[in-house]
Amino acid sequence: MPPSIHPVDLITALRQKHLTPAIVFLTSRRACDEAMESFDHADIVLPPVRQEAIDAVLQQVIAQYPSVADHPLIPTVRRIGVAAHHAGHLPSWKIAVEELMRQGCLDAVFATTTLAAGVDFPARTVVITQSSIRKARDFTDLTIGEVQQIAGRAGRRGKDQVGFAVIAPSPYIDLSVLTKGLTGHPEPIESQFTITYPMVLNLLKAHPLEQIQSILAKSFAQFQLNRRAESLERKLDALHVQMEPFGPRICTDWITQWQTFDQARRQRPQRHQPHHESPELSARFHFMTPGRVVGLARGRGIVLRQYRSKGQRHPMISVLRPNGTVTECPAAAVVEIFDRVFDCEETSSFPWCSAASFDELCYQLTELPPRLPILPILVSQESVPLPDTVVQSLGDFPCPTCPSRPACQKDFAIAHRLRQEQQRYVKSIQALRASLWHRFQERVDVLQKFGYLTSSAQLTADGEWARLIRIDHSLLITELIRAEAFSGIEPAILTGILSSIAHDDDRPGSFPRISPGLSSLLGQVRKLAESLSPYEDPPLLRADVAAIAERWVADPQLTWIGLCRLTTMAEGDLYRLLARTLEFLSQIHALHATHPGLADTASKAIALIRRGVLEELP
Amino acid sequence: MTTDELEQLLAQQPVSLLHRLARGRVHRHFRAGKRRLIELLLQHSSQNLAGLESDLQTLIAERQALPQRPRTPARRKEEAAPTPPKRQHPPTTGGEPDTGGPAVSLASWLEGIGVPPPQPFVPDPWQVEALAALAEGDVVVSVPTGSGKTYVAIEAARRAMEDNRTVIYTSPLKALSNTKFTEFSRLFGPEKVGILTGDRQENGQAPLLIMTTEILRNLLYDAASGEIDVRLDTLGLVILDESQYLADPERGVVWEETIIFCPSQARLLLLSASIGNPQDIADWLSSIRTTTCRLIRHNKRTVPLRAGYLHPNGKLVPLFKTASIPYGHPNHIHPEAKRLFMQYEEETLPSGRPRR
Ligand SMILES: Nc1ncnc2c1ncn2[C@@H]1O[C@H](COP(=O)(O)OP(=O)(O)O)[C@@H](O)[C@H]1O
Ligand SMILES: [Mg+2]
C-alpha cells in the first residue's frame, strides 16, 4: 500500500463523490509542489468551459498583479483545476488562488497546515493528512483549537448544505489526535504577555513609574495570574482552619521550638545518616501533591497521594494514569512537574481520593492539552546542620520536662507540614501578584544600565528616540545606532544588516556572495549581539541572507526573476524577507528628528527596495 | 424560549450534559450539583441566553444522534421537551439491530451534499445580538469559523461611521488586511477606506482604517506619549479580528497592549474563532474597561460538519458511527474506518504495530 493516497486518485475520489472544491492540507511546501507535479501527465482534464473560466479570473488578477502572469503553475491550474497555496509563493499568487477559489473555479487547493490560519477561504471539503505540525523545529500535535480551525474551513455558508472533513492518512499520523480534535472542546487560551524594552520605554514616556504597576495589572496576564492567586487564597483559608488546633501552646511558636529540639536531639547521637536524597528530589517532592499533573517516562499522570516507602523511606507517589489505573512509583521517576493542579478531594484509602474526584481527574487527564507549562522549581541549599553549640546546649530546651511535650511530639509532623504548606502558598501568591512588576523592574534595570533611563526611571535623550524602535531585537538595533555602526554607510549595507536581523528562519539554502564592506560590518554586529545576549536573544545574523537583500538594493537593474535565480530561497520567503526589512527600515526612518543622516539612508534604501514585485501590494 | 422554559429544558437533561454545557461557562462547574448547576448556567449566561439555548439544542441533538442505550428512548417520551430537537440527519438506513451502536452508512453520510436553495439574507440572532450589545459596551464574539463574523464587523463599522466616528479594523496578517481592504473598499467606496502597513499609508485619513494589530499598538503608544493623532479623538470603534491570536506565543502580547491602551471612548469588538474560555476574555475586558463587556458565543456550526476517512486505495468511509460529529465522544469511530486505519498502520509502520 502506498504510504498516502496519490494526489490524482485523491482528486478523482473527491470529484466522484461530489466533495469538491476541497482544501488539501499537506505536511510541507515540498509535498504541495510534488502534488502539483504529479498532475503533469494526468488525464483528468477539465472541460474547456471551466478552463476558460479559470483564464478569465486569472486575467483579471494579472491586470492588477502582473507578477502572476508567468507563474509556472498556471498550466496545471488551467488543465486540472487544482492549485498550490503556501508560504513559498508570492502574496500575489496567493491572491490569485484565493480569487479562483472564491469564484468556484478550482476543485482543490494544496496548502500547508502551518499556514492554516492564513488560509482565508472556505471549501466544501477539507482533507487532513497529518496530526502534528512543525513548530520551532519540532513536531507537535495539533491542538483541539487547531484541528477545529482547519476543519472549520469546510462547509461554505450559502454554498453548501454540509461540509466534510476527510482524513487521508500519511505516515506518522495519530488518528486519536484528530478524533479528539474534531469532537473536543477547544483549549482555553492563556496569556503570552511579555515585557519588552520598547514597551518599558513607551510606558515610562507616558506615565510616571508609580502608575506602571496599575497599568500592568490591566493585562490579561495579570487577570489570569490573579485567578490562580485567588484559588490559592481559598486553599490558604482552608489551611488556616486546619491549623486552628495547632495554635500557641506553652511556647507561642511551639512548632519551631519542637523542630529545633527534635533536630538537636537527633543530631547529638550522630545516628545513621538520613536517607540519601538529593536536594533536587526533596524540592520536587514538595510539589508532588494530590491533584498535580506530572510527567513520567511513559506518559503523564496525576498525583493522588505522596508518602514514604516503609523500609527505605524513599519518597513515593500514587499516580493516576490515563487508562484509569493507579500506580505506585518512586518520586525519583517523575521526569516533569507541570504547572497544573486539579482539585482533588483526598481520602485515606485507595484510590486516595473521592469517587467524584477520581472520575473528574480521569476526565481531566484525557483532556489535557499536549503542551503544558513546566513548573520551575528552586532547589534550596542543603539544610545546614545545627551548630554544635546548639546541640551541646540541649539541656537548655524546656521541651523534655514541658507538660505539653506529648502533645507537641504527637502533633508536630502534621502541624509542621501544614505550616510549610501555608508558607509555600503565601510565597506563591506573592509571586503571582507581583511577578509582572518584577519583570518590569528587571527591564528597567537593564535600560538604566545602558543609559536609556535615568536612575529615577525617566527617559534619557537616547531613551526618547529609542522608544520609537518597536520591533524585535530593538536593543541590538538601538545599541548599533549609538555605537555609530551605521554612520555613513550605503543604503545597500544598511539593508543587508537589517535583513539579517529581521530574518529568523534557519532553513538552509545557497545564496550570492557577500560584499567585503557588509561582511566586516556584520562581524561587528555579531560581536555586539553576543555581548547583549544576557539581555536580549541574539538574532541569526545570517551573512547569506544579508547578501541577497544587499544585492537587491545595490543593483537597481536586477529583476525579481534575476534575484530569485541567485538563491535557492523560495520567492515567497524572499518577498517576506524584503517586506520585513522594509518594516525595520521604516522604523529607522522614524528617527529623522534625531538622526537625520541615518533616516535619510533608510529612506533611500526603502525607495530602492520598492520595485517590481515589492511595489505590487500595499 | 423564555427563561422558565429554558430552565425546564435544562432540568430534563442528564447532569453529564449540563456539565458539558457548563464547560467554559461556569467556573469549577464539576463541583456543582444539578440544581446549582442550572442556576449557575442561567446566571452566567443571563446576558446571552440565546447562545446558551442554541448550544443546549446542539448537545441534545447530538445525544439523540448517538447510538441509544435501550433505556434512554423510553425515558425521553415522558420528558416531552418544549422544543422537540430536530434530527439533522435521517436515521441510518442499514437497518442494523440497535445493539451497542449501529454505524451510519456511506450513502446516508453523503446525503444532503450540495448547494442549498438561495435564501434572502437574514442576519442570525447572534449577529443581531452582537450589534445591539455594541450599542451598550464592548463585545467579545466567539463563534466557529465560517459563522459570519465579518457581517458583524461590517455592520458595526457602518453604524459607527454613520455616527461620524472613525473605525479601526485590525487583522493579524498583512495578507488578510489586504483582502479586507479590497472587500471593504468595494462595500463602502474607496474614499471611505484606508490601509496602514509597516511601511506604507494609503488613504490614511479615511474614516475606516485597516491595519495590522502591531500598527495599531504603535499608534496607541504615540497617542499616549503626546504625539496625538487627531483620529484617535473621534475613534468610535476598534475591531480586532481573529483575536484568538491573543494566545500566540510571539505576538499575543501586542493584542494585550492594544486592548489595554484602547481609548475608553472607543468601543472594542473582539472577533474570535471558538476558544475554550471566551468568558475569561469578556470578564477581563469588563474588569479593565469603563463599560461591561458582553460575550456572544455559540459552538454550533452553521453548516453542519461531517468527518470521513479516505483510505490510500481511494475507499471513502464515514469516520464516526454517526453522520454528524459526535462531540465529546472521540471514540465513537466507525468500525469500517477503524478497521481500515488499523490495516493502514500495520502496513505502513515498519515494526508492524502502532506507535504509542
Ligand atoms: N446571516 C447570514 N446568512 C447567510 N449567510 C451569512 C450570514 N452571515 C454571514 N454569512 C456568510 O457566511 C460566510 C462566512 O462568513 P465570515 O464572516 O467569513 O465567517 P467568519 O469570519 O466567522 O469565519 C460568508 O460568505 C458570509 O457572506
Ligand atoms: Mg473571519
Side-chain angles (χ1 to χ4, degrees):
Chain A
M1 182 174 7
S4 46
I5 191 166
H6 190 275
V8 175
D9 296 342
L10 173 66
I11 300 307
T12 312
L14 294 174
R15 280 187 186 163
Q16 195 200 352
K17 295 282 194 287
H18 305 286
L19 288 168
T20 56
I23 304 171
V24 184
F25 286 107
L26 297 176
T27 33
S28 62
R29 301 174 183 188
R30 174 109 163 261
C32 294
D33 297 339
E34 283 170 2
M36 287 302 285
E37 279 165 26
S38 69
F39 289 97
D40 280 352
H41 305 288
D43 53 2
I44 48 167
V45 179
L46 289 183
V49 253
R50 286 197 53 195
Q51 298 203 6
E52 281 152 27
I54 292 178
D55 271 341
V57 174
L58 280 177
Q59 287 317 318
Q60 275 172 21
V61 180
I62 289 168
Q64 207 181 346
Y65 306 109
S67 63
V68 172
D70 309 315
H71 203 282
L73 287 180
I74 288 183
T76 313
V77 173
R78 274 190 81 236
R79 222 163 57 83
I80 317 280
V82 296
H85 179 287
H86 59 65
H89 293 131
L90 284 178
S92 54
W93 174 253
K94 293 197 262 181
I95 289 174
V97 173
E98 285 164 27
E99 193 54 32
L100 285 166
M101 257 324 239
R102 221 168 279 130
Q103 309 259 352
C105 295
L106 298 181
D107 280 349
V109 170
F110 296 97
T112 52
T113 314
T114 338
L115 239 110
V119 175
D120 192 30
F121 51 84
R124 173 171 292 170
T125 302
V126 159
V127 179
I128 304 173
T129 60
Q130 68 197 115
S131 58
S132 51
I133 50 172
R134 211 178 103 118
K135 271 183 202 159
R137 268 172 262 175
D138 226 354
F139 274 91
T140 42
D141 283 349
L142 293 166
T143 64
I144 297 175
E146 284 163 344
V147 172
Q148 295 189 355
Q149 181 95 356
I150 293 169
R153 311 268 162 217
R156 299 158 297 174
R157 239 192 134 165
K159 289 191 191 158
D160 289 312
Q161 305 257 50
V162 233
F164 295 88
V166 172
I167 296 175
S170 66
Y172 309 114
I173 196 168
D174 184 342
L175 194 62
S176 71
V177 170
L178 295 175
T179 52
K180 260 191 208 149
L182 286 168
T183 58
H185 191 74
E187 295 80 3
I189 64 177
E190 305 228 355
S191 171
Q192 304 292 331
F193 196 75
T194 50
I195 291 173
T196 62
Y197 295 117
M199 185 195 290
V200 174
L201 290 174
N202 282 291
L203 280 175
L204 288 172
K205 166 74 183 174
H207 310 273
L209 188 62
E210 310 85 76
Q211 283 179 19
I212 303 291
Q213 201 168 359
S214 67
I215 293 173
L216 293 175
K218 287 175 150 192
S219 62
F220 188 50
Q222 192 60 56
F223 179 85
Q224 293 197 310
L225 291 172
N226 286 347
R227 285 253 165 118
R228 285 163 63 187
E230 280 155 22
S231 98
L232 286 185
E233 275 159 4
R234 279 194 293 275
K235 288 193 182 148
L236 196 58
D237 290 345
L239 272 180
H240 274 301
V241 176
Q242 281 178 286
M243 282 289 280
E244 257 158 33
F246 310 118
R249 296 187 174 169
I250 289 174
C251 350
T252 328
D253 187 5
W254 66 269
I255 301 176
T256 313
Q257 179 77 344
W258 181 269
Q259 185 180 19
T260 327
F261 168 66
D262 199 43
Q263 206 180 342
R265 195 170 59 149
R266 282 170 200 274
Q267 213 169 318
R268 199 167 51 157
Q270 287 294 329
R271 267 197 260 151
H272 65 85
Q273 282 280 306
H275 35 268
H276 276 291
E277 206 170 286
S278 70
E280 280 87 4
L281 185 58
S282 318
R284 291 161 64 94
F285 192 48
H286 273 304
F287 288 88
M288 299 180 205
T289 47
R292 165 79 63 189
V293 183
V294 293
L296 299 158
R298 315 185 102 253
R300 291 159 173 178
I302 295 180
V303 177
L304 294 175
R305 65 158 179 166
Q306 55 163 249
Y307 61 101
R308 287 190 177 269
S309 64
K310 284 254 164 57
Q312 296 289 317
R313 312 277 313 143
H314 287 310
M316 298 286 290
I317 49 177
S318 306
V319 191
L320 173 67
R321 305 305 307 261
N323 58 6
T325 58
V326 177
T327 52
E328 311 297 326
C329 78
V334 170
V335 203
E336 221 80 87
I337 297 182
F338 295 110
D339 193 2
R340 186 65 56 96
V341 183
F342 294 108
D343 283 304
C344 171
E345 204 180 308
E346 295 167 56
T347 59
S348 55
S349 61
F350 186 85
W352 318 115
C353 66
S354 68
S357 284
F358 193 81
D359 289 347
E360 177 62 25
L361 290 177
C362 284
Y363 167 74
Q364 294 290 6
L365 197 50
T366 56
E367 291 288 292
L368 281 176
R371 278 158 302 195
L372 280 176
I374 289 171
L375 194 72
I377 294 174
L378 288 181
V379 179
S380 58
Q381 297 304 312
E382 204 128 15
S383 62
V384 193
L386 289 180
D388 279 349
T389 47
V390 176
V391 180
Q392 298 311 321
S393 63
L394 197 58
D396 299 344
F397 281 96
C399 298
T401 54
C402 175
S404 168
R405 173 177 174 165
C408 291
Q409 181 155 21
K410 177 168 144 290
D411 291 343
F412 172 73
I414 178 155
H416 180 61
R417 184 177 65 81
L418 287 174
R419 197 174 65 171
Q420 274 187 328
E421 222 160 290
Q422 217 174 15
Q423 285 162 350
R424 222 173 50 227
Y425 281 149
V426 170
K427 265 199 201 135
S428 307
I429 291 168
Q430 282 166 351
L432 288 169
R433 298 258 185 226
S435 60
L436 282 187
W437 176 234
H438 287 318
R439 272 190 277 157
F440 185 87
Q441 284 170 320
E442 280 165 18
R443 296 286 188 204
V444 167
D445 289 345
V446 173
L447 289 168
Q448 282 173 335
K449 175 177 146 69
F450 282 93
Y452 294 99
L453 289 174
T454 66
S455 54
S456 58
Q458 309 261 326
L459 270 64
T460 61
D462 280 337
E464 285 287 345
W465 59 262
R467 82 189 158 82
L468 298 174
I469 304 294
R470 296 160 182 153
I471 34 185
D472 294 345
H473 310 295
S474 58
L475 189 61
L476 173 62
I477 292 173
T478 55
E479 283 299 291
L480 281 168
I481 293 173
R482 291 171 88 199
E484 309 225 314
F486 295 146
S487 70
I489 63 170
E490 293 295 314
I493 296 196
L494 180 62
T495 307
I497 296 291
L498 290 179
S499 69
S500 73
I501 297 176
H503 190 74
D504 53 9
D505 192 346
D506 61 354
R507 222 179 273 259
S510 75
F511 295 86
R513 287 174 65 91
I514 188 167
S515 75
L518 178 56
S519 172
S520 82
L521 184 52
L522 199 58
Q524 195 186 332
V525 176
R526 285 214 184 94
K527 261 195 216 113
L528 187 59
E530 182 66 28
S531 73
L532 292 177
S533 62
Y535 315 106
E536 185 177 82
D537 283 340
L540 291 177
L541 297 174
R542 291 175 57 167
D544 47 4
V545 170
I548 190 122
E550 178 195 26
R551 188 66 73 87
W552 180 245
V553 172
D555 180 2
Q557 306 307 317
L558 188 62
T559 61
W560 182 255
I561 307 280
L563 182 72
C564 290
R565 278 207 200 102
L566 289 175
T567 164
T568 50
M569 212 171 170
E571 60 176 348
D573 291 325
L574 208 46
Y575 176 90
R576 245 189 328 281
L577 170 69
L578 291 173
R580 228 167 108 79
T581 307
L582 269 178
E583 255 167 63
F584 277 42
L585 281 166
S586 54
Q587 299 243 326
I588 304 271
H589 178 65
L591 304 183
H592 47 77
T594 47
H595 301 74
L598 179 58
D600 190 46
T601 312
S603 89
K604 278 189 191 131
I606 290 173
L608 285 164
I609 290 189
R610 261 210 213 115
R611 61 178 205 272
V613 166
L614 280 135
E615 217 180 13
E616 264 182 14
L617 290 160
Chain B
M1 200 179 284
T2 66
T3 312
D4 284 348
E5 282 167 348
L6 186 59
E7 189 175 356
Q8 262 183 12
L9 184 58
L10 284 168
Q12 286 160 2
Q13 304 311 318
V15 80
S16 63
L17 188 148
L18 298 183
H19 279 300
R20 283 176 58 203
L21 190 62
R23 236 182 272 161
R25 279 197 168 89
V26 179
H27 192 50
R28 297 153 74 84
H29 59 88
F30 47 84
R31 279 288 172 90
K34 186 164 179 179
R35 253 296 20 107
R36 178 84 187 119
L37 197 52
I38 292 173
E39 264 173 45
L40 288 172
L41 275 169
L42 290 171
Q43 193 183 322
H44 280 258
S45 309
S46 59
Q47 297 290 315
N48 184 13
L49 285 179
L52 181 71
E53 186 187 324
S54 91
D55 285 1
L56 174 62
Q57 298 285 12
T58 317
L59 285 176
I60 295 176
E62 274 163 30
R63 249 180 84 74
Q64 287 172 356
L66 295 178
Q68 307 275 340
R69 259 169 250 136
R71 72 181 172 90
T72 327
R75 257 186 48 200
R76 205 161 26 113
K77 261 183 215 138
E78 29 181 275
E79 280 169 359
T83 7
K86 301 163 233 119
R87 251 179 201 278
Q88 276 173 0
H89 311 295
T92 52
T93 48
E96 296 105 315
D98 199 1
T99 51
V104 69
S105 68
L106 183 66
S108 46
W109 182 79
L110 282 167
E111 203 167 283
I113 193 168
V115 184
Q119 279 172 345
F121 185 93
V122 182
D124 292 342
W126 68 267
Q127 289 172 325
V128 175
E129 217 177 309
L131 287 165
L134 206 52
E136 315 290 323
D138 300 336
V139 174
V140 171
V141 174
S142 168
V143 296
T145 315
S147 299
K149 293 185 284 289
T150 315
Y151 169 80
V152 179
I154 290 172
E155 271 310 302
R158 187 196 308 282
R159 291 177 193 187
M161 287 194 289
E162 278 166 10
D163 253 9
N164 283 326
R165 312 234 119 227
T166 52
V167 180
I168 291 177
Y169 168 96
T170 79
S171 79
L173 304 170
K174 229 169 156 180
L176 293 182
S177 295
N178 284 321
T179 317
K180 283 291 184 282
F181 178 54
T182 319
E183 186 182 342
F184 290 177
S185 301
R186 231 179 261 159
L187 254 164
F188 294 112
E191 73 290 349
K192 288 273 173 65
V193 189
I195 186 166
L196 307 187
T197 68
D199 57 295
R200 187 179 275 198
Q201 281 207 9
E202 202 163 303
N203 208 5
Q205 295 302 318
L208 170 54
L209 287 179
I210 296 167
M211 55 188 85
T212 56
T213 315
E214 272 81 359
I215 302 289
L216 175 56
R217 189 266 320 262
N218 291 350
L219 236 102
L220 294 174
Y221 273 138
D222 289 340
S225 57
E227 292 131 36
I228 293 281
D229 196 323
V230 276
R231 267 174 280 116
L232 290 186
D233 296 338
T234 56
L235 185 63
L237 174 65
V238 172
I239 305 170
L240 305 179
D241 203 353
E242 310 286 345
S243 32
Q244 70 276 8
Y245 259 77
L246 193 65
D248 186 88
E250 268 131 47
R251 298 174 57 201
V253 55
V254 180
W255 270 254
E256 291 196 40
E257 290 174 275
T258 305
I259 291 168
I260 298 170
F261 297 113
C262 179
S264 57
Q265 94 277 357
R267 290 280 143 80
L268 262 175
L269 172 58
L270 268 59
L271 303 175
S272 149
S274 286
I275 53 169
N277 53 346
Q279 186 69 55
D280 287 356
I281 310 282
D283 289 349
W284 167 50
L285 283 184
S286 294
S287 74
I288 64 165
R289 307 257 313 155
T290 46
T291 63
T292 27
C293 173
R294 281 269 308 269
L295 170 66
I296 308 289
R297 69 173 295 187
H298 70 86
N299 297 330
K300 190 182 156 74
R301 282 183 42 101
T302 334
V303 178
L305 185 64
R306 298 179 195 166
Y309 174 82
L310 181 64
H311 206 52
N313 66 9
K315 187 171 165 60
L316 179 68
V317 293
L319 179 63
F320 295 108
K321 284 183 192 168
T322 47
S324 59
I325 290 179
Y327 291 97
H329 298 279
N331 297 327
H332 287 189
I333 313 262
H334 198 285
E336 191 63 3
K338 202 183 261 175
R339 189 183 67 77
L340 287 172
F341 185 71
M342 270 167 63
Q343 185 194 342
Y344 174 81
E345 285 212 310
E346 250 155 49
E347 291 185 22
T348 51
L349 292 172
S351 61
R353 66 188 162 77
R355 292 183 314 146
R356 294 193 214 174

